[in-house]
Amino acid sequence: MMPVEPLVVECGPVDKVFRPFQPDQLLLVAASLDEWLPQEPLARFIADVVDEHLDLSGFYAGYQEGRGGPPFDPRLMVRVLLMGYTTGIRSSRKLEAACWDIVAFRWLAGGQAPAYRAIAKFRKRHLSALGHVFVQALELCKAAGMLSLGRVALDGTKVRANASRRKAMSYARMSEKQKILAAEVSALLAEAEQLDHDEDAEFGRDNKGYGLP
């Protein structure tokens, strides 16, 4: 990268030197997403949980058809969904935007940005599997002392009631604590589906809904 000289501007009776700022400056070396991300953020913890501790075989087993374009890797999608849903970003449109705009999401997605339709379709296709791995992830977070990540309670009771009639997973063979987490996760996934439905009605099914009008 070419050296940039400090900019000296007239500021009243004294000259002020500002840090170099050239938005169009070209990089002569490839940028590394890993260098942009702090060493101990939530994103790195989620990546470790998804890559090393969750059983994603159920997701991969569902892809037996060879026709059509290659889908996004389930590991990528689970990383993005877990990061979004546990930090309050549950709209598929906003998750797509986050993969472009937020470094942590870009890092988790490996520089890719799944379209909101792909995100919503993945959630619907793997609803039960997502519910179970989310419960596993939250148990690991609780064991690691990351209480903020484990707070998935929702405001209001309407979504809870709807979710109770259409749970994302079976509660068989779960402990009482797991059932509580599972109920919260079911409500969370139901809220995400409702948000997508509401945004489809507001923006239209083929409109991303963000950006300048």
Side-chain angles (χ1 to χ4, degrees):
M1 185 171 62
M2 297 296 293
V4 180
E5 294 294 331
L7 177 64
V8 179
V9 298
E10 300 249 342
C11 184
V14 297
D15 292 336
K16 181 64 177 178
V17 177
F18 292 93
R19 294 175 182 269
F21 174 64
Q22 293 188 0
D24 297 328
Q25 176 75 29
L26 297 178
L27 296 177
L28 301 182
V29 295
S32 169
L33 283 173
D34 197 65
E35 293 178 357
W36 295 355
L37 196 67
Q39 286 302 308
E40 297 181 2
L42 175 60
R44 292 188 186 276
F45 182 84
I46 285 179
D48 181 67
V49 167
V50 174
D51 296 356
E52 303 296 335
H53 301 285
L54 298 184
D55 180 7
L56 304 183
S57 59
F59 294 90
Y60 289 98
Y63 294 97
Q64 302 296 332
E65 180 58 61
R67 294 178 298 177
F72 286 98
D73 191 315
R75 186 164 57 101
L76 180 161
M77 301 296 273
V78 173
R79 280 175 160 209
V80 169
L81 286 168
L82 184 58
M83 180 71 174
Y85 289 176
T86 54
T87 56
I89 304 178
R90 293 162 188 171
S91 153
S92 295
R93 286 173 171 84
K94 291 181 180 178
L95 285 173
E96 178 187 347
C99 287
W100 287 109
D101 300 335
I102 301 176
V103 170
F105 282 88
R106 293 191 69 176
W107 183 85
L108 284 168
Q112 301 184 64
Y116 70 93
R117 280 290 162 214
I119 295 172
K121 183 178 179 180
F122 183 87
R123 186 193 64 241
K124 292 178 182 179
R125 179 175 183 174
H126 301 288
L127 186 66
S128 178
L130 273 175
H132 282 94
V133 299
F134 275 26
V135 169
Q136 294 173 43
L138 291 172
E139 287 185 304
L140 289 170
C141 295
K142 182 178 180 181
M146 301 188 68
L147 300 180
S148 61
L149 185 60
R151 292 188 59 187
V152 296
L154 305 174
D155 294 328
T157 57
K158 185 176 181 180
V159 173
R160 288 179 183 274
N162 290 340
S164 67
R165 293 195 298 270
R166 185 175 175 273
K167 296 189 292 291
M169 67 205 83
S170 170
Y171 291 174
R173 300 182 180 179
M174 286 187 179
S175 67
E176 288 304 314
K177 290 183 178 180
Q178 287 176 323
K179 288 178 181 179
I180 294 173
L181 277 179
E184 296 289 356
V185 169
S186 290
L188 182 154
L189 292 171
E191 183 198 32
E193 183 175 355
Q194 185 63 48
L195 281 172
D196 284 349
H197 176 77
D198 293 344
E199 289 180 351
D200 283 346
E202 180 180 359
F203 302 116
R205 288 182 58 83
D206 298 322
N207 188 335
K208 293 180 182 292
Y210 58 86
L212 294 174

